[in-house]
């Protein structure tokens, strides 16, 4: 049906409850399942698969790899609990001469008795398995008539209380009001890919498993995101900035204290940053560098350029632990340059905090390091020229762009040690220019990575004793702080659930005494800092920790990293942890300990980690295996990939790249989005929740 553009959005944005037959209760369940309250959200709730069923007369005819539909007569019902305590209802039934056991997990006895009354004919659908002298079916569908169980049927993701029929009813109503939309994608691209129009793609994707409709919808969502990012990018680049120039004196003094020449890659990244600082517009730059590549030095030299230009700089990090680590490093290098550095964090005593705030306000403190506290109300800088944000995957685009609001035309540099795949660069960091530091500083040795079953734990501990005898220092990382109180510790298959820093510390301390210390995120800052200082100084030789040491802990004399229950960590995180060693000239080692039951999973991860120390290669593979949110350690708003991912990750990457180029081309030709395609693009932005970006157009 044809509608004017102005009337399309209200139809698709209407609440689900406005659809015929959708009352408040059903609307609430649908909203939970589809993740939104609009008619469009329901239309975009695509089937996760299409059930292919075969009709048979008796269970012995059932194929092993397909659901079967056949008649049954229930004989008895009983409520049961499994050995693990799970509730289910078991129904003993007949199908012809064959006995069939039906099991319904998490069901109630009265409900099943109503669906399958004793001695009344019913049809069931499910995967049939031989059991004893008969057969069994787990969680079968039940119907009065075989026609209610068609041979092919869409299966949608559901929530408790919502049934397939509810979704089908809602979608039928939504599809009945679905209007045709103007074409917002590039017409030659649509023709080349043989994509249907948007509305036709929605209808097809709900009815069939062919790839073209899903690819079209996935592209539309990516295009909306890329147009929005391009608009934000243009807005920020149009904002006036100021040139920050320096004479290099403070940099020279800091580099002399550092004692090493920057690598060619560090020099190249710094040149790109310097060019932005010198330009009369705001810098928005992402600095990527693998573990140990030397990002902190580049950031410090950038901040010293801002100080040389007569302004201040701020370095914001996610944890106080990391802030204090940076403070030690920066103080050592800035003191010879005559630059005052201070920490601002939540743990400062009132008198210390007042002194730091006064120093920031009058300019006596040139560089501030801290957590979110740096940007709280009441923190005033005399003149903040550069804000640096370290390891902040959790910030969305708009949050990053407001971090520098403490200064006038403040430049912004964001750093990450987690290599970001190209697809994520385009989808989540697309408003920023990107610099990349590759390689490691001279003199660092490759890290030898090995894997060991937890059944060999005693042998690993003995090897640790030998390493201590050679004067080495060791990290021992566990996935949890405390052991479960419900079960004793196990070295077998349950170890993955139970490995804990507190317990490992106790075991190692019994064997190695005062040379063992402990650090984790649940400690108070002072206690944790004391433990880290003891390890850094060499007083402690073994540091047992959680992933609190994943970033920012720099102990060049540490040569062994042990990661217990390594199967609980993603590839990128294992690579990050491994990067805590290999920071000095000595040969370093990373031992991956895994539960025997997870051997197969670990072999694949181990082979990749052993084959490369290139974090960008590892990040790409982690992205493929675990998805973007988990690969970055986040699952939150602003960092989800499209709700319409393709099964083929390479195809998804390709669509993102095409959408990026298409968005740039569209806004180059039509920066105000005023042409017919531009007006359609405005509708696209609105439908996919990117309409805030249209504020940059001055209307919308």
């Amino acid at each position: 049906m044809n509608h004017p553009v102005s009337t399309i959005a209200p139809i698709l944005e209407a609440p689900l409850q406005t659809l015929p037959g959708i009352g408040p209760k059903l609307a609430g369940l649908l909203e939970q399942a589809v993740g939104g309250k609009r008619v469009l959200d329901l239309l975009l709730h695509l089937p996760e698969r299409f059930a292919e069923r075969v009709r048979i007369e008796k269970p012995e005819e059932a194929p092993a790899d397909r659901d079967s539909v056949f008649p049954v007569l229930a004989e008895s019902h009983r409520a049961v609990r499994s050995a693990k305590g799970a509730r289910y209802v078991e129904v003993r039934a007949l199908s012809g001469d064959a006995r069939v056991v039906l099991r319904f997990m998490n069901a109630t006895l009265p409900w099943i008795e109503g669906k399958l009354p004793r001695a009344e004919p019913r049809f069931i659908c499910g995967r049939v398995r031989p059991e004893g002298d008969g057969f069994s079916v787990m969680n079968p569908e039940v119907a009065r008539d075989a026609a209610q169980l068609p041979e092919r049927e869409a299966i949608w993701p559901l929530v408790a209380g919502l049934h397939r029929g509810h979704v089908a009813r809602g979608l039928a109503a939504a599809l009945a009001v679905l209007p045709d939309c103007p074409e917002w994608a590039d017409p030659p691209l649509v023709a080349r890919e043989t994509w249907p129009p948007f509305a036709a793609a929605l209808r097809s994707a709900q009815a069939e498993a062919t790839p073209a409709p899903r690819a079209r919808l996935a592209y539309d969502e990516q295009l909306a995101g890329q147009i929005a990012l391009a608009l934000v990018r243009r807005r920020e680049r149009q904002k006036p900035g100021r040139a920050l120039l320096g004479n290099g004196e403070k940099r020279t003094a800091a580099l002399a204290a550092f004692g090493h020449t920057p690598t060619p890659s560090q020099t190249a990244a710094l040149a790109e940053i310097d060019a932005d600082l010198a330009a009369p517009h705001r810098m928005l730059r992402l600095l990527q560098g693998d573990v140990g590549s030397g990002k902190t030095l580049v950031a410090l030299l950038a901040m010293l350029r801002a100080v040389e230009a007569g302004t201040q700089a701020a370095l914001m990090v996610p944890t106080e632990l990391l802030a204090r680590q940076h403070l030690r490093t920066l103080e050592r290098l800035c003191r010879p340059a005559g630059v005052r550095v201070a920490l601002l964090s939540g743990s400062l005593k009132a008198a210390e905090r007042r002194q730091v705030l006064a120093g920031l306000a009058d300019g006596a403190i040139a560089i501030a390091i801290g957590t979110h506290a740096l940007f709280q109300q009441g923190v005033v800088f005399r003149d903040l020229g550069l804000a640096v944000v370290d390891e902040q995957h959790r910030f969305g685009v708009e949050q990053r762009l407001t971090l520098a609001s403490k200064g006038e035309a403040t430049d912004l540099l964001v750093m990450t040690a987690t290599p970001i795949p190209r697809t994520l660069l385009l989808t989540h960091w697309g408003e920023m220019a990107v610099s990349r530091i590759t390689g490691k500083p001279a003199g660092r040795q490759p890290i030898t990575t090995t894997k060991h079953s937890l059944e060999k734990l005693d042998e690993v501990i003995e090897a640790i004793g030998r390493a201590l005898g050679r004067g080495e220092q060791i990290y021992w990382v566990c996935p949890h702080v405390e052991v479960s109180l419900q079960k004793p510790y196990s070295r077998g298959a349950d170890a993955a659930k139970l490995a804990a820093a507190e317990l490992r510390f106790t075991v190692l301390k019994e064997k190695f005494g005062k040379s063992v210390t402990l650090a984790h995120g649940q400690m108070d800052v002072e206690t944790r800092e004391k433990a880290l200082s003891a390890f850094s100084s060499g007083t402690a030789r073994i540091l047992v920790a959680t992933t609190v040491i994943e970033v920012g802990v720099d102990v060049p004399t540490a040569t062994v990293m042990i990661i217990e229950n390594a199967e609980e960590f993603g590839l990128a995180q294992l690579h990050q942890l491994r990067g805590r060693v290999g920071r000095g000239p000595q040969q370093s080692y990373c031992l991956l300990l895994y539960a025997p039951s997870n051997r197969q999973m670990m072999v694949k991860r181990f082979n990749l980690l052993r084959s490369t120390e290139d974090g960008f290669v590892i990040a790409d593979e982690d992205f493929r295996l675990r998805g973007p949110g988990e690969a970055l350690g986040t699952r939150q708003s602003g960092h989800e990939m499209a709700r319409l991912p393709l099964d083929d990750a390479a195809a998804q990457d390709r669509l993102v790249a095409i959408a990026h180029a298409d968005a740039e081309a569209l806004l180059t030709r039509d920066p105000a989005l005023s042409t017919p395609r531009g007006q359609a693009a405005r509708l696209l932005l609105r439908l996919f929740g990117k309409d805030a970006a249209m504020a940059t157009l001055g209307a919308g």
Side-chain angles (χ1 to χ4, degrees), residues 95-166:
S95 181
D97 295 330
R99 297 197 170 276
V100 185
V101 178
L102 312 176
R103 296 185 177 93
F104 298 86
M105 301 305 296
N106 298 316
T108 62
L109 185 60
W111 186 66
I112 295 299
E113 287 176 333
K115 288 181 71 69
L116 269 167
R118 193 175 289 108
E120 289 191 23
R122 290 290 187 270
F123 285 86
I124 65 164
C125 173
R127 202 64 57 94
V128 179
R129 297 283 182 261
E131 183 174 308
D133 59 355
F135 302 89
S136 67
V137 184
M138 183 69 73
N139 293 325
E141 296 180 69
V142 181
R144 290 176 176 270
D145 193 307
Q148 295 176 298
L149 299 168
E151 293 183 24
R152 190 172 182 283
E153 189 171 38
I155 304 298
W156 295 278
L158 303 173
V159 295
L162 185 68
H163 305 299
R164 198 209 68 83
H166 294 148

Side-chain angles (χ1 to χ4, degrees), residues 274-442:
D274 281 348
D276 279 356
L277 292 174
H281 57 69
R282 280 189 67 203
M283 176 172 72
L284 287 171
R285 184 166 289 275
L286 171 67
L287 177 61
Q288 285 196 95
D290 205 351
V291 177
S293 61
K295 295 179 306 302
T296 303
L297 178 65
V298 173
L300 170 61
L301 296 176
M303 290 190 287
L304 288 176
R305 169 57 51 87
V307 174
E308 289 173 352
T311 69
Q312 295 165 288
L315 171 60
M316 192 182 82
V317 297
T319 67
E320 183 161 337
L321 178 71
L322 185 52
R324 291 181 178 275
Q325 175 74 40
H326 278 313
L327 178 67
R328 288 191 289 269
T329 302
L330 266 62
E331 278 187 330
R332 179 174 65 86
L333 300 179
C334 287
R335 193 175 295 113
V339 174
R340 186 177 167 192
V341 182
L343 174 73
L344 184 64
S345 68
S347 69
L348 288 185
K349 293 181 171 60
E352 291 178 293
R353 179 177 172 82
R354 284 195 298 271
Q355 285 184 341
V356 173
L357 291 177
L360 294 177
D362 65 18
I365 295 173
I367 296 178
I369 304 169
T371 58
H372 293 76
L374 278 176
F375 295 93
Q376 289 174 351
Q377 194 172 6
V379 179
V380 178
F381 290 82
R382 181 184 64 80
D383 185 5
L384 182 61
L386 172 63
V388 181
V389 184
D390 191 19
E391 292 299 334
Q392 283 297 331
H393 303 310
R394 296 173 181 85
F395 285 126
V397 173
E398 289 299 325
Q399 290 171 301
R400 289 198 294 272
L401 296 177
T402 57
L403 281 178
S405 62
K406 289 290 181 182
E408 184 70 30
T410 302
D411 288 321
L412 180 63
L413 178 66
V414 177
M415 300 195 299
T416 176
T418 303
I420 302 173
R422 173 174 165 77
T423 299
L424 282 185
L425 282 177
L426 292 179
T427 52
H428 296 315
W429 306 84
E431 85 284 7
M432 308 194 87
V434 178
S435 293
R436 177 181 283 191
I437 303 177
T438 56
K440 295 183 180 180

Side-chain angles (χ1 to χ4, degrees), residues 171-194:
L171 273 167
L175 289 167
V177 300
L178 172 62
D180 291 330
C181 296
E183 186 54 80
W184 44 65
D186 184 36
L189 170 66
V190 173
R192 186 186 77 203
E193 302 290 332
T194 63

